[in-house]
Amino acid sequence: MSNSFSSSTPDVQSDFLVLGSGVAGLMVALRLAERGTVSLVTKRAIMDSNTSQAQGGIASVFGRVDSFELHVEDTLKAGDGLCNREVADLVVRNGPDRIRELIDLGVKFNLDQNAADHTTLDLGREGGHSQKRIVHAQDMTGLELETVLVGHVRAHSRITVFENHMGVDLITCSTRMKRGMVTTTHDDRCIGAYVLDTDTSRVKTFSAAITVLATGGAGKVYLYTSNPDVATGDGMAMGYRAGATVANMEFVQFHPTCLYHPDAKNFLISEAVRGEGAILVNAQGRRFMEAYDPQCELACRDVVARAIDTELKKSGADSVFLDISHKSEEVIRSRFPNLYQRCLSFGIDMTTDPIPVVPAAHYMCGGVATDMSGRTDIHQLYAIGETACTGLHGANRLASNSLIEALVYARTAAEGAISEFDQIDMTTMPTPVAWDEVGTVDADEQIMVVHNWDEIRRCMWNYVGIVRSNKRLARAKRRIANIQAEIQEYYWDFKITPDLIELRNITMVAELIVRCATHRKESRGLHYTLEYPNRDDRRWGRDTLIRRPFLG
Ligand SMILES: Cc1cc2nc3c(=O)[nH]c(=O)nc-3n(C[C@H](O)[C@H](O)[C@H](O)COP(=O)(O)OP(=O)(O)OC[C@H]3O[C@@H](n4cnc5c(N)ncnc54)[C@H](O)[C@@H]3O)c2cc1C
């Protein structure tokens, strides 16, 4: 491969570069550090991640009557015909070892108080699981994990953490244009990334033999989401722009009940509230789930989310309501102490008032396509965690299967990356081309960024949400194309800012979701289209794969 471009000394050089500090990034960094030096880059504070928000727990087989086969079957059933059985097998069978590893690192999971040995894990059960298998740390599992792993990462002498550093684009051997634009070639190699230091507003060049994308999900592409602000699909967009294959972006999981309140950005009302007998009523106070499913409020997530969406679209109301006020105050306060307090902090007393809720984008099943070692189709580039599409989730994710996927893939990817690293002749590693800002000036039209942020998220919510149609998808495609044209113009003329980078990425991810959704002419798992309401295995029983055209 020719390297005929001007190069410069990188700002930061290490053996491995990891983008993202959720469970996937932290865990892979710890493993890679056993072999070499690691730069761990994260765009805000190290704890800012989806991982820190995970409440439920981690699915893994520990129960006496449970088995790997049952966990695999539950995973495949949820995935509605699109899971890769081999991948499900890999994740499920490696699950218990990864949990034991976490315990050895100091993670404190809830133990079964009734067991004699005081080491038996307390296992919860969630929708779609045929057995109790959710390992958890109260209702703050992700926070416990993140806190313990961050402690280990910070203490490791071979890991350097760069907070407030945002990955902008990957650098490959074919990066040779202004601002790192990649002229995609096939058989490319990743040699690092351009990273914006958000404290100094300077773009730095990070060079590494192996780069791992672990930048999490993309909930912020939608107006309503359970995800924190960092979830803007950066890794998916960066991977795609660099020429990696992206898969199954049409499968976006919506959680049915997120609190609807101007001050509550992303607060989930747990499924357990419906489990305890709460009913859903519309703006007129009428219960509506009976009309949609015989299980009413206890129907599965997608059915409830779709029903709420239909009610909202029919009435034009802003939200529906979840009402548990018929239960005694004592029961509500003792069963949901945190929820009760959080709702109260927003002026909602759930013992007397119905809680306003909307469905919200929760989890991306699609992402950068990888093999069973987390390898993408660009050499020296790996993707793990929510950013990746490994084949585990298929068309719908089984609850609590994402943390375990991230843990298992952090290990297999580290093994793959170390073995690839050991084969690289470092004397042939090209020096990355320098970031070029010639001709750009400070941004003076921040309003364009703010306006387009809002427009893209509203457009995705209204036209590419829970229920899709040909007309809505076509409308979204046109709007997104207009916004992209504006962003392109702005991107080349002005110095980049974090908001602009994220806007560019959510718009890119929106485009990928629309393209995948338009392509799949059936309804399956999380993808529901009015014109094609049935599953069609013969024509569509396969992944949706998209890759940037060869631009060489
Ligand atoms: C409210 C909520 C509850 C959940 N509950 C559960 C549960 O009970 N069980 C379960 O299995 N799953 C659950 N999930 C899903 C699960 O938490 C995530 O899928 C998982 O944590 C993803 O881990 P990750 O490491 O891939 O990404 P994240 O944890 O999201 O980490 C991504 C990291 O990348 C950083 N980043 C992003 N972009 C850039 C960039 N451009 N440059 C540098 N850094 C960047 C972010 O700041 C962050 O540090 C839940 C999710 C939410 C939102």
Side-chain angles (χ1 to χ4, degrees):
M1 192 173 298
S2 76
N3 298 319
S4 57
F5 50 82
S6 63
S7 57
S8 70
T9 311
D11 296 285
V12 181
Q13 221 162 349
S14 53
D15 297 326
F16 303 100
L17 168 63
V18 176
L19 298 168
S21 61
V23 61
L26 295 168
M27 208 64 199
V28 81
L30 285 171
R31 286 254 155 248
L32 294 172
E34 290 169 12
R35 177 65 186 85
T37 53
V38 180
S39 299
L40 180 75
V41 165
T42 190
K43 68 178 173 182
R44 294 202 184 175
I46 195 165
M47 297 285 291
D48 278 331
S49 61
N50 275 8
T51 300
S52 296
Q53 310 281 324
Q55 302 164 354
I58 314 175
S60 194
V61 174
F62 282 95
R64 268 187 298 122
V65 287
D66 200 1
S67 69
F68 291 143
E69 289 73 22
L70 285 174
H71 189 180
V72 169
E73 284 314 315
D74 291 344
T75 301
L76 299 186
K77 195 168 162 207
D80 207 6
L82 275 199
C83 299
N84 179 328
R85 182 182 275 275
E86 245 188 299
V87 169
D89 223 53
L90 171 85
V91 171
V92 164
R93 285 179 191 278
N94 281 282
D97 281 347
R98 299 289 68 78
I99 300 286
R100 285 185 205 104
E101 187 178 22
L102 290 175
I103 294 170
D104 290 344
L105 286 169
V107 174
K108 299 226 169 342
F109 292 115
N110 282 39
L111 298 177
D112 183 350
Q113 297 304 322
N114 299 320
D117 61 0
H118 301 299
T119 57
T120 304
L121 292 164
D122 180 42
L123 302 175
R125 184 160 176 184
E126 285 184 355
H129 289 274
S130 58
Q131 298 292 324
K132 282 181 148 196
R133 63 169 75 101
I134 312 301
V135 179
H136 59 104
Q138 273 91 34
D139 57 356
M140 294 179 296
T141 308
L143 189 62
E144 168 71 8
L145 229 74
E146 185 83 12
T147 308
V148 170
L149 295 180
V150 164
H152 285 281
V153 161
R154 286 213 192 274
H156 205 296
S157 59
R158 279 182 164 175
I159 303 176
T160 310
V161 176
F162 295 85
E163 288 177 283
N164 301 319
H165 278 65
M166 178 183 273
V168 179
D169 263 316
L170 297 169
I171 309 172
T172 72
C173 287
S174 36
T175 302
R176 51 172 63 89
M177 286 162 60
K178 180 177 164 172
R179 288 189 160 213
M181 278 301 288
V182 174
T183 57
T184 310
T185 61
H186 293 141
D187 203 31
D188 210 350
R189 293 166 65 183
C190 181
I191 52 172
Y194 297 113
V195 174
L196 176 70
D197 177 340
T198 57
D199 290 333
T200 62
S201 300
R202 194 167 84 78
V203 177
K204 296 176 180 169
T205 304
F206 279 63
S207 132
I210 302 280
T211 301
V212 183
L213 286 171
T215 51
K220 295 295 281 188
V221 171
Y222 286 89
L223 186 60
Y224 301 115
T225 176
S226 65
N227 291 189
D229 287 347
V230 290
T232 50
D234 298 1
M236 297 160 189
M238 278 190 268
Y240 177 78
R241 281 195 297 266
T245 299
V246 168
N248 290 354
M249 296 293 283
E250 66 273 41
F251 298 116
V252 181
Q253 189 171 62
F254 288 83
H255 195 287
T257 54
C258 204
L259 179 64
Y260 179 74
H261 188 279
D263 300 332
K265 263 185 159 173
N266 44 34
F267 179 46
L268 277 191
I269 307 293
S270 151
E271 250 144 4
V273 180
R274 275 178 286 131
E276 204 61 42
I279 58 164
L280 280 161
V281 296
N282 61 20
Q284 288 75 45
R286 261 201 309 277
R287 189 177 181 190
F288 57 84
M289 274 311 299
E290 291 148 326
Y292 294 91
D293 194 280
Q295 292 197 69
C296 299
E297 281 78 6
L298 295 181
C300 73
R301 261 188 198 180
D302 328 340
V303 174
V304 179
R306 220 174 289 146
I308 297 176
D309 185 69
T310 308
E311 288 294 314
L312 294 178
K313 290 229 163 63
K314 258 193 333 208
S315 65
D318 289 331
S319 74
V320 296
F321 298 85
L322 189 62
D323 193 354
I324 194 168
S325 61
H326 52 279
K327 293 269 171 176
S328 77
E329 180 175 341
E330 197 192 343
V331 166
I332 296 172
R333 291 183 63 163
S334 65
R335 177 69 182 83
F336 305 110
N338 292 332
L339 208 56
Y340 171 75
Q341 285 304 336
R342 285 292 301 273
C343 283
L344 213 54
S345 72
F346 295 113
I348 302 159
D349 180 349
M350 64 190 277
T351 65
T352 53
D353 307 328
I355 310 165
V357 290
V358 286
H362 186 53
Y363 185 82
M364 285 297 301
C365 292
V368 180
T370 72
D371 69 7
M372 286 177 66
S373 295
R375 273 193 197 94
T376 70
D377 45 18
I378 297 179
H379 301 295
Q380 298 162 229
L381 178 68
Y382 291 71
I384 53 172
E386 200 169 331
T387 298
C389 181
T390 62
L392 175 69
H393 306 303
N396 194 359
R397 174 191 71 130
L398 181 65
S400 286
N401 254 2
S402 37
L403 291 173
I404 197 65
E405 180 197 38
L407 289 164
V408 170
Y409 269 85
R411 189 183 179 95
T412 66
E415 283 164 5
I418 288 170
S419 118
E420 188 172 4
F421 174 77
D422 285 338
Q423 285 160 30
I424 296 171
D425 174 358
M426 297 303 276
T427 59
T428 68
M429 271 288 290
T431 314
V433 64
W435 180 258
D436 183 359
E437 279 199 327
V438 175
T440 57
V441 294
D442 284 331
D444 67 347
E445 286 276 352
Q446 192 59 16
I447 187 68
M448 182 299 281
V449 175
V450 174
H451 177 83
N452 281 338
W453 249 98
D454 185 64
E455 186 174 344
I456 200 87
R457 297 180 68 207
R458 232 168 250 287
C459 164
M460 288 300 286
W461 183 256
N462 289 330
Y463 303 138
V464 200
I466 297 163
V467 176
R468 294 152 184 182
S469 72
N470 287 343
K471 210 191 253 177
R472 288 179 196 165
L473 289 173
R475 206 171 281 162
K477 188 176 167 204
R478 283 196 299 273
R479 301 260 163 107
I480 291 166
N482 282 345
I483 295 172
Q484 272 177 330
E486 269 183 40
I487 294 170
Q488 270 314 94
E489 213 173 282
Y490 201 83
Y491 189 77
W492 293 110
D493 292 343
F494 296 99
K495 290 198 189 321
I496 57 170
T497 62
D499 283 349
L500 178 60
I501 295 171
E502 290 185 343
L503 172 65
R504 181 174 177 240
N505 290 335
I506 60 167
T507 313
M508 177 89 263
V509 172
E511 183 205 315
L512 297 175
I513 296 172
V514 170
R515 278 171 58 191
C516 289
T518 306
H519 179 73
R520 185 171 289 282
K521 302 215 175 335
E522 64 158 356
S523 291
R524 176 193 297 268
L526 299 164
H527 174 66
Y528 185 81
T529 327
L530 292 175
E531 287 86 354
Y532 316 102
N534 301 316
R535 177 173 145 175
D536 178 353
D537 280 335
R538 197 179 57 80
R539 296 183 59 213
W540 300 105
R542 58 179 186 270
D543 293 331
T544 315
L545 302 175
I546 42 178
R547 190 175 186 189
R548 217 178 115 173
F550 175 60
L551 302 175

